[in-house]
Amino acid sequence: MKKRTGVIVGVLGVAVVAGFMYFPGQHNKNSKSQTLQTMMKDDVITMSPIMLTDIYSAQAQTQVYEGLYRYKGNRVVTGNAVKVVKPTQNGTVYTFKIRDNAKWSNGDKVTAQDFVTAIQAIADPKTKSQNSADAISIIKNYDDVHDGKISPNKIGAVALDAHTLRITLTQATPAFDKLATSIIPVNTKDYKKWGTKYGTSSKYMVTNGAYQMTGWTGTNSSFTFTKNAKYWDAQQVKIEKVKVRVIKTPMTAANEFKNKHLDIAQISDDYIKTYKNTKYYHATPQAVVRGIYFNETSNKTNNLHLRQAFGYLIDRNTITSNIMNDGSMPQSNAVPKGVMSNPTTGTDFTTDAGTQFKVNKEKAKEEWKAYLKEVGKTSETFNMTFDDDSTSKKVGAYIQYAAEHEFKGITINTKYEPHAQLVSEVLKQDFDMANVGLSVSVPDAAYPLAIGKSGYGLNFSKVNDTDYDAYLDKAAKEANNPKERYQTLQTANKYFTKTKAYMVPIYQPVTANAVTDKVGGFQGNSFHSPAYQDMYWK
């Protein structure tokens, strides 16, 4: 089973087009011309649901596309499907009725075939999609289609008629209602017409959600979400226009909010102190663990001693409390806090898991010496890649100093790159070590742990470990035995993060936003971005 998530560095944000001047008098609650000014921390890579891999593209796509269901705060509610359905055939078959009034922004009706087209395209190896969607990967025959063994039309998704979609799963999946929020259709007609251009710019986009995306060329850092008049629930959308620009500097974001050039701003660093105890502050832990991944396809970095050396070296408490100081939590597990609880005691998964690596400088140095001996060298140089935001730069500088201070013969060349470039290099295995994270959209430990499964699209390190695969496969077959499944996932987490140390976890980020008191309906959630369609002017 292959899972879906997003590559992450950062959290939801919002912003304005350069040069826009904001005045308090602009917010007249009876005016339809008012514009929500927001920001993001990095650029959108793709607006194709089929090619989605990164968190920033996911944040943008959430606003313009709608799946079978959608999130409204913490609740799953109906989307393009008429109702939340109950499965048949022992929980494996779902039959959805698509709304008669569900339309694309160009006026075309949203059909069952539009969902099938997207599902088949993601599964088809010829598409070369990195989007290993959780909801798609548990559909019957997904793996065989994705491996090229059978035709995409053999996957378990069928349009019974224009408005009836039947999805057959490999096995009963209790979390499927949440997964179905990420089953996003494409306009079949336009997808066939545009091909690989679909979702590469506003020119090649049609949307079925609350908004259209205008002014996006595919590479620029500002664009606008405009209310989609064809959206089936358009009358409930109160925010008619949202202007967004990318702001990477915390000082700029904080100042823009302070000067009322932003209605919602993602804040970090010391600027959190300014707003933490005010009515403007909204903080939500992300369902993400950020850590160091090693290129397992390279002899230089595919080494257990090297991975464990960094596991024992990194002081997670120092990084979160002194270096970041933004509310982020130290983490030594692959599973974020708040993602899963013990089915018997209710204890959080990470509490039961405990600390995989405690700081031990002597042990770290022993592992480093063992690495040099094993590779037959007295020194080694590594490139370690981070995002180019201010927080990542602080973390990078700390890790570089710690490694070069404790490990004799090591040289760390830190690289700070735009998120899109980092993602591209990681997916091409063009790195030694990289600081990235995996966002998950479902409260279940199996999804973040999929990061190490062989063949998984977002297996950053290209881990290929049959023992680890066996743990995940065993957990998948234990769906009807929660206690055993929970223990199997605990074993998998320890194997991945301690025994083999395929990823060295560092911290779990927190999304901190400053939100104007003129906006209501802002609902933070660990698993998805707040939806502008649920917000309103006070």
Side-chain angles (χ1 to χ4, degrees):
M1 184 190 300
K2 301 165 177 90
K3 307 290 182 188
R4 174 204 188 190
T5 45
V7 182
I8 185 163
V9 255
V11 171
L12 164 84
V14 246
V16 265
V17 213
F20 175 84
M21 294 303 294
Y22 173 108
F23 298 97
Q26 178 181 334
H27 289 303
N28 182 332
K29 66 181 179 180
N30 296 317
S31 171
K32 290 188 177 181
S33 62
Q34 55 196 332
T35 298
L36 184 72
Q37 304 290 340
T38 70
M39 62 164 279
M40 295 179 70
K41 286 190 67 177
D42 217 318
D43 294 314
V44 172
I45 297 176
T46 179
M47 288 303 292
S48 169
I50 291 168
M51 304 307 291
L52 176 66
T53 57
D54 72 292
I55 190 65
Y56 299 110
S57 297
Q59 289 172 6
Q61 290 192 25
T62 294
Q63 310 301 337
V64 301
Y65 298 127
E66 184 169 270
L68 292 163
Y69 308 145
R70 76 177 186 91
Y71 274 107
K72 186 172 184 178
N74 293 318
R75 295 184 299 120
V76 170
V77 298
T78 56
N80 273 203
V82 173
K83 65 178 182 178
V84 176
V85 302
K86 292 183 178 180
T88 58
Q89 297 188 30
N90 296 318
T92 61
V93 176
Y94 288 75
T95 303
F96 302 94
K97 284 290 183 181
I98 308 304
R99 296 178 184 276
D100 288 337
N101 61 341
K103 292 184 178 181
W104 292 97
S105 52
N106 63 2
D108 292 346
K109 286 206 167 194
V110 177
T111 67
Q113 183 58 46
D114 292 339
F115 286 90
V116 173
T117 298
I119 290 168
Q120 290 181 352
I122 293 172
D124 190 346
K126 293 179 182 178
T127 307
K128 296 182 179 179
S129 170
Q130 294 286 349
N131 182 353
S132 299
D134 300 330
I136 307 299
S137 65
I138 59 174
I139 295 177
K140 185 177 180 180
N141 292 336
Y142 172 88
D143 286 347
D144 285 343
V145 171
H146 196 64
D147 292 340
K149 296 177 181 178
I150 59 177
S151 170
N153 62 15
K154 299 297 183 183
I155 198 168
V158 180
L160 300 180
D161 58 42
H163 289 92
T164 308
L165 171 68
R166 184 180 67 202
I167 291 180
T168 303
L169 308 183
T170 303
Q171 62 192 35
T173 305
F176 188 70
D177 286 354
K178 296 180 177 66
L179 295 172
T181 64
S182 61
I183 298 183
I184 308 296
V186 295
N187 183 298
T188 301
K189 180 188 69 178
D190 288 334
Y191 182 69
K192 289 181 178 178
K193 178 174 66 177
W194 294 330
T196 57
K197 291 182 179 180
Y198 193 96
T200 57
S201 70
S202 295
K203 180 180 178 181
Y204 298 109
M205 283 178 63
V206 285
T207 66
N208 73 322
Y211 296 96
Q212 300 180 70
M213 187 178 188
T214 61
W216 184 61
T217 65
T219 57
N220 60 324
S221 296
S222 64
F223 48 85
T224 302
F225 293 129
T226 305
K227 182 176 176 177
N228 177 9
K230 304 293 184 181
Y231 178 52
W232 69 270
D233 203 23
Q235 64 179 357
Q236 298 300 322
V237 179
K238 306 305 181 185
I239 304 287
E240 300 212 350
K241 185 180 287 188
V242 184
K243 288 192 175 182
V244 184
R245 67 181 163 105
V246 172
I247 299 178
K248 296 184 179 183
T249 308
M251 181 176 68
T252 302
N255 285 340
E256 290 288 77
F257 184 80
K258 178 182 178 182
N259 295 325
K260 300 183 179 179
H261 296 166
L262 286 178
D263 296 305
I264 308 174
Q266 186 183 341
I267 53 177
S268 58
D269 299 343
D270 291 337
Y271 301 101
I272 287 180
K273 297 177 183 178
T274 303
Y275 293 100
K276 191 168 185 179
N277 296 315
T278 71
K279 62 184 177 180
Y280 307 109
Y281 187 70
H282 295 258
T284 308
Q286 296 180 46
V288 176
V289 173
R290 295 205 58 187
I292 300 297
Y293 288 82
F294 302 78
N295 184 350
E296 298 299 320
T297 67
S298 168
N299 291 332
K300 183 166 74 171
T301 48
N302 181 8
N303 188 282
L304 177 59
H305 292 301
L306 176 67
R307 299 191 298 264
Q308 291 199 327
F310 277 88
Y312 286 112
L313 171 73
I314 294 174
D315 189 332
R316 295 154 184 83
N317 288 313
T318 294
I319 288 177
T320 54
S321 299
N322 301 334
I323 307 299
M324 300 174 69
N325 195 30
D326 63 357
S328 294
M329 299 174 284
Q331 185 56 271
S332 68
N333 294 285
V335 178
K337 183 178 181 181
V339 165
M340 191 175 193
S341 299
N342 188 313
T344 302
T345 65
T347 306
D348 189 84
F349 186 97
T350 59
T351 301
D352 283 341
T355 301
Q356 302 306 320
F357 279 104
K358 294 183 179 179
V359 181
N360 187 328
K361 299 294 179 63
E362 293 306 312
K363 182 66 175 174
K365 286 187 279 191
E366 288 176 12
E367 292 289 351
W368 170 246
K369 291 177 182 178
Y371 165 76
L372 289 177
K373 182 178 180 180
E374 195 164 284
V375 297
K377 293 186 176 183
T378 58
S379 64
E380 186 59 275
T381 299
F382 302 95
N383 292 325
M384 189 175 289
T385 312
F386 296 80
D387 286 282
D388 61 354
D389 62 275
S390 62
T391 299
S392 295
K393 288 178 180 178
K394 290 180 181 179
V395 174
Y398 172 83
I399 294 175
Q400 179 186 39
Y401 170 80
E404 293 185 343
H405 181 73
E406 300 293 343
F407 298 158
K408 184 179 180 180
I410 196 172
T411 299
I412 300 290
N413 294 323
T414 50
K415 297 166 58 181
Y416 301 100
E417 300 177 342
H419 184 59
Q421 184 177 340
L422 185 151
V423 171
S424 176
E425 290 179 359
V426 166
L427 294 177
K428 292 176 182 176
Q429 298 307 113
D430 184 17
F431 72 102
D432 289 337
M433 305 179 202
N435 176 220
V436 287
L438 187 72
S439 65
V440 296
S441 56
V442 180
D444 191 297
Y447 298 101
L449 290 173
I451 195 68
K453 185 170 177 62
S454 302
Y456 172 46
L458 295 178
N459 181 339
F460 303 137
S461 300
K462 288 296 182 287
V463 174
N464 188 1
D465 187 322
T466 55
D467 289 337
Y468 186 66
D469 291 344
Y471 289 129
L472 298 184
D473 290 341
K474 183 174 184 291
K477 295 174 183 176
E478 294 172 335
N480 295 322
N481 193 328
K483 292 181 181 179
E484 287 189 12
R485 182 174 182 272
Y486 183 80
Q487 291 306 318
T488 300
L489 291 172
Q490 283 283 348
T491 301
N493 172 73
K494 183 175 182 179
Y495 184 88
F496 185 75
T497 55
K498 177 65 184 293
T499 306
K500 294 293 186 178
Y502 286 124
M503 183 262 279
V504 174
I506 302 176
Y507 64 93
Q508 181 174 348
V510 168
T511 303
N513 285 289
V515 182
T516 176
D517 57 359
K518 294 179 172 64
V519 170
F522 181 94
Q523 301 181 68
N525 186 280
S526 297
F527 301 99
H528 63 91
S529 302
Y532 300 134
Q533 74 181 89
D534 295 326
M535 300 181 199
Y536 56 89
W537 295 114
K538 292 182 178 179

mmCIF file of all heavy atoms in Angstrom, residues 117-141:
data_model
loop_
_atom_site.group_PDB
_atom_site.id
_atom_site.type_symbol
_atom_site.label_atom_id
_atom_site.label_comp_id
_atom_site.label_asym_id
_atom_site.label_seq_id
_atom_site.Cartn_x
_atom_site.Cartn_y
_atom_site.Cartn_z
ATOM 1 N N THR A 117 -10.917 9.327 -13.949
ATOM 2 C CA THR A 117 -9.790 9.804 -14.755
ATOM 3 C C THR A 117 -8.600 10.172 -13.875
ATOM 4 O O THR A 117 -7.449 9.811 -14.164
ATOM 5 C CB THR A 117 -10.208 11.028 -15.592
ATOM 6 O OG1 THR A 117 -11.250 10.654 -16.499
ATOM 7 C CG2 THR A 117 -9.028 11.577 -16.393
ATOM 8 N N ALA A 118 -8.872 10.876 -12.769
ATOM 9 C CA ALA A 118 -7.799 11.280 -11.863
ATOM 10 C C ALA A 118 -7.170 10.076 -11.181
ATOM 11 O O ALA A 118 -5.941 9.959 -11.079
ATOM 12 C CB ALA A 118 -8.334 12.258 -10.824
ATOM 13 N N ILE A 119 -8.003 9.157 -10.716
ATOM 14 C CA ILE A 119 -7.507 7.965 -10.025
ATOM 15 C C ILE A 119 -6.629 7.133 -10.951
ATOM 16 O O ILE A 119 -5.532 6.696 -10.581
ATOM 17 C CB ILE A 119 -8.692 7.129 -9.492
ATOM 18 C CG1 ILE A 119 -9.369 7.864 -8.334
ATOM 19 C CG2 ILE A 119 -8.227 5.745 -9.040
ATOM 20 C CD1 ILE A 119 -10.700 7.271 -7.921
ATOM 21 N N GLN A 120 -7.085 6.919 -12.172
ATOM 22 C CA GLN A 120 -6.305 6.126 -13.125
ATOM 23 C C GLN A 120 -4.988 6.806 -13.478
ATOM 24 O O GLN A 120 -3.953 6.139 -13.607
ATOM 25 C CB GLN A 120 -7.127 5.880 -14.393
ATOM 26 C CG GLN A 120 -8.294 4.934 -14.199
ATOM 27 C CD GLN A 120 -9.081 4.693 -15.480
ATOM 28 O OE1 GLN A 120 -8.839 5.358 -16.506
ATOM 29 N NE2 GLN A 120 -10.033 3.767 -15.437
ATOM 30 N N ALA A 121 -5.026 8.131 -13.616
ATOM 31 C CA ALA A 121 -3.801 8.855 -13.988
ATOM 32 C C ALA A 121 -2.743 8.792 -12.893
ATOM 33 O O ALA A 121 -1.553 8.633 -13.175
ATOM 34 C CB ALA A 121 -4.143 10.305 -14.311
ATOM 35 N N ILE A 122 -3.167 8.916 -11.643
ATOM 36 C CA ILE A 122 -2.214 8.834 -10.530
ATOM 37 C C ILE A 122 -1.589 7.451 -10.462
ATOM 38 O O ILE A 122 -0.387 7.292 -10.229
ATOM 39 C CB ILE A 122 -2.897 9.183 -9.196
ATOM 40 C CG1 ILE A 122 -3.293 10.657 -9.179
ATOM 41 C CG2 ILE A 122 -1.974 8.875 -8.014
ATOM 42 C CD1 ILE A 122 -4.133 11.060 -7.991
ATOM 43 N N ALA A 123 -2.415 6.437 -10.688
ATOM 44 C CA ALA A 123 -1.920 5.057 -10.605
ATOM 45 C C ALA A 123 -1.054 4.675 -11.794
ATOM 46 O O ALA A 123 -0.136 3.856 -11.663
ATOM 47 C CB ALA A 123 -3.100 4.093 -10.506
ATOM 48 N N ASP A 124 -1.303 5.248 -12.953
ATOM 49 C CA ASP A 124 -0.606 4.881 -14.194
ATOM 50 C C ASP A 124 0.880 5.228 -14.103
ATOM 51 O O ASP A 124 1.238 6.401 -13.945
ATOM 52 C CB ASP A 124 -1.237 5.627 -15.361
ATOM 53 C CG ASP A 124 -0.738 5.135 -16.715
ATOM 54 O OD1 ASP A 124 0.275 4.403 -16.755
ATOM 55 O OD2 ASP A 124 -1.356 5.497 -17.733
ATOM 56 N N PRO A 125 1.783 4.261 -14.208
ATOM 57 C CA PRO A 125 3.219 4.562 -14.123
ATOM 58 C C PRO A 125 3.703 5.489 -15.239
ATOM 59 O O PRO A 125 4.703 6.184 -15.072
ATOM 60 C CB PRO A 125 3.876 3.176 -14.206
ATOM 61 C CG PRO A 125 2.866 2.300 -14.871
ATOM 62 C CD PRO A 125 1.534 2.814 -14.412
ATOM 63 N N LYS A 126 2.991 5.532 -16.356
ATOM 64 C CA LYS A 126 3.389 6.398 -17.465
ATOM 65 C C LYS A 126 3.230 7.874 -17.106
ATOM 66 O O LYS A 126 3.906 8.726 -17.674
ATOM 67 C CB LYS A 126 2.555 6.069 -18.710
ATOM 68 C CG LYS A 126 2.824 4.684 -19.292
ATOM 69 C CD LYS A 126 1.955 4.424 -20.513
ATOM 70 C CE LYS A 126 2.195 3.020 -21.068
ATOM 71 N NZ LYS A 126 1.311 2.731 -22.237
ATOM 72 N N THR A 127 2.342 8.156 -16.171
ATOM 73 C CA THR A 127 2.137 9.542 -15.747
ATOM 74 C C THR A 127 3.324 10.041 -14.937
ATOM 75 O O THR A 127 3.607 11.235 -14.880
ATOM 76 C CB THR A 127 0.854 9.650 -14.891
ATOM 77 O OG1 THR A 127 -0.242 9.084 -15.603
ATOM 78 C CG2 THR A 127 0.535 11.092 -14.569
ATOM 79 N N LYS A 128 4.034 9.128 -14.288
ATOM 80 C CA LYS A 128 5.171 9.454 -13.429
ATOM 81 C C LYS A 128 4.759 10.413 -12.314
ATOM 82 O O LYS A 128 5.473 11.359 -11.972
ATOM 83 C CB LYS A 128 6.327 10.026 -14.245
ATOM 84 C CG LYS A 128 6.896 9.034 -15.242
ATOM 85 C CD LYS A 128 8.085 9.600 -16.011
ATOM 86 C CE LYS A 128 8.639 8.564 -16.986
ATOM 87 N NZ LYS A 128 9.785 9.078 -17.761
ATOM 88 N N SER A 129 3.577 10.143 -11.762
ATOM 89 C CA SER A 129 3.091 10.945 -10.651
ATOM 90 C C SER A 129 3.797 10.535 -9.373
ATOM 91 O O SER A 129 3.927 9.351 -9.079
ATOM 92 C CB SER A 129 1.583 10.753 -10.492
ATOM 93 O OG SER A 129 1.133 11.327 -9.285
ATOM 94 N N GLN A 130 4.244 11.528 -8.591
ATOM 95 C CA GLN A 130 4.811 11.260 -7.272
ATOM 96 C C GLN A 130 3.719 11.271 -6.209
ATOM 97 O O GLN A 130 3.972 11.056 -5.037
ATOM 98 C CB GLN A 130 5.872 12.309 -6.929
ATOM 99 C CG GLN A 130 7.105 12.262 -7.816
ATOM 100 C CD GLN A 130 8.006 11.095 -7.495
ATOM 101 O OE1 GLN A 130 7.839 10.425 -6.490
ATOM 102 N NE2 GLN A 130 8.978 10.839 -8.350
ATOM 103 N N ASN A 131 2.493 11.559 -6.649
ATOM 104 C CA ASN A 131 1.377 11.633 -5.723
ATOM 105 C C ASN A 131 0.892 10.235 -5.376
ATOM 106 O O ASN A 131 0.060 9.663 -6.059
ATOM 107 C CB ASN A 131 0.237 12.455 -6.348
ATOM 108 C CG ASN A 131 -0.939 12.604 -5.413
ATOM 109 O OD1 ASN A 131 -0.975 12.005 -4.346
ATOM 110 N ND2 ASN A 131 -1.900 13.394 -5.810
ATOM 111 N N SER A 132 1.449 9.672 -4.312
ATOM 112 C CA SER A 132 1.015 8.349 -3.853
ATOM 113 C C SER A 132 -0.120 8.531 -2.860
ATOM 114 O O SER A 132 0.027 8.303 -1.669
ATOM 115 C CB SER A 132 2.186 7.599 -3.214
ATOM 116 O OG SER A 132 3.215 7.407 -4.136
ATOM 117 N N ALA A 133 -1.256 9.010 -3.368
ATOM 118 C CA ALA A 133 -2.366 9.388 -2.504
ATOM 119 C C ALA A 133 -2.830 8.237 -1.631
ATOM 120 O O ALA A 133 -3.061 7.145 -2.110
ATOM 121 C CB ALA A 133 -3.517 9.905 -3.352
ATOM 122 N N ASP A 134 -2.980 8.544 -0.328
ATOM 123 C CA ASP A 134 -3.448 7.528 0.615
ATOM 124 C C ASP A 134 -4.741 6.887 0.125
ATOM 125 O O ASP A 134 -4.900 5.675 0.117
ATOM 126 C CB ASP A 134 -3.735 8.169 1.979
ATOM 127 C CG ASP A 134 -2.511 8.815 2.577
ATOM 128 O OD1 ASP A 134 -1.406 8.331 2.294
ATOM 129 O OD2 ASP A 134 -2.662 9.782 3.314
ATOM 130 N N ALA A 135 -5.670 7.736 -0.272
ATOM 131 C CA ALA A 135 -6.983 7.239 -0.671
ATOM 132 C C ALA A 135 -6.914 6.426 -1.953
ATOM 133 O O ALA A 135 -7.705 5.510 -2.158
ATOM 134 C CB ALA A 135 -7.943 8.412 -0.849
ATOM 135 N N ILE A 136 -5.988 6.774 -2.833
ATOM 136 C CA ILE A 136 -5.861 6.063 -4.109
ATOM 137 C C ILE A 136 -5.164 4.717 -3.904
ATOM 138 O O ILE A 136 -5.545 3.705 -4.496
ATOM 139 C CB ILE A 136 -5.059 6.903 -5.124
ATOM 140 C CG1 ILE A 136 -5.660 8.302 -5.266
ATOM 141 C CG2 ILE A 136 -4.986 6.206 -6.465
ATOM 142 C CD1 ILE A 136 -7.071 8.325 -5.766
ATOM 143 N N SER A 137 -4.167 4.697 -3.054
ATOM 144 C CA SER A 137 -3.327 3.506 -2.938
ATOM 145 C C SER A 137 -4.021 2.315 -2.291
ATOM 146 O O SER A 137 -3.555 1.189 -2.411
ATOM 147 C CB SER A 137 -2.046 3.828 -2.161
ATOM 148 O OG SER A 137 -2.339 4.165 -0.820
ATOM 149 N N ILE A 138 -5.137 2.554 -1.599
ATOM 150 C CA ILE A 138 -5.845 1.434 -0.995
ATOM 151 C C ILE A 138 -6.988 0.933 -1.880
ATOM 152 O O ILE A 138 -7.730 0.036 -1.503
ATOM 153 C CB ILE A 138 -6.397 1.794 0.401
ATOM 154 C CG1 ILE A 138 -7.359 2.974 0.309
ATOM 155 C CG2 ILE A 138 -5.265 2.074 1.355
ATOM 156 C CD1 ILE A 138 -8.031 3.283 1.631
ATOM 157 N N ILE A 139 -7.097 1.526 -3.071
ATOM 158 C CA ILE A 139 -8.117 1.061 -4.016
ATOM 159 C C ILE A 139 -7.643 -0.238 -4.669
ATOM 160 O O ILE A 139 -6.456 -0.398 -4.982
ATOM 161 C CB ILE A 139 -8.406 2.137 -5.079
ATOM 162 C CG1 ILE A 139 -9.037 3.364 -4.414
ATOM 163 C CG2 ILE A 139 -9.327 1.603 -6.170
ATOM 164 C CD1 ILE A 139 -9.294 4.523 -5.349
ATOM 165 N N LYS A 140 -8.543 -1.140 -4.864
ATOM 166 C CA LYS A 140 -8.240 -2.462 -5.419
ATOM 167 C C LYS A 140 -7.433 -2.349 -6.718
ATOM 168 O O LYS A 140 -7.745 -1.555 -7.592
ATOM 169 C CB LYS A 140 -9.537 -3.228 -5.684
ATOM 170 C CG LYS A 140 -9.324 -4.668 -6.143
ATOM 171 C CD LYS A 140 -10.663 -5.373 -6.318
ATOM 172 C CE LYS A 140 -10.469 -6.812 -6.780
ATOM 173 N NZ LYS A 140 -11.778 -7.506 -6.947
ATOM 174 N N ASN A 141 -6.378 -3.131 -6.783
ATOM 175 C CA ASN A 141 -5.492 -3.244 -7.950
ATOM 176 C C ASN A 141 -4.549 -2.058 -8.132
ATOM 177 O O ASN A 141 -3.817 -2.001 -9.126
ATOM 178 C CB ASN A 141 -6.290 -3.445 -9.251
ATOM 179 C CG ASN A 141 -6.987 -4.796 -9.299
ATOM 180 O OD1 ASN A 141 -6.566 -5.746 -8.635
ATOM 181 N ND2 ASN A 141 -8.053 -4.882 -10.077
#
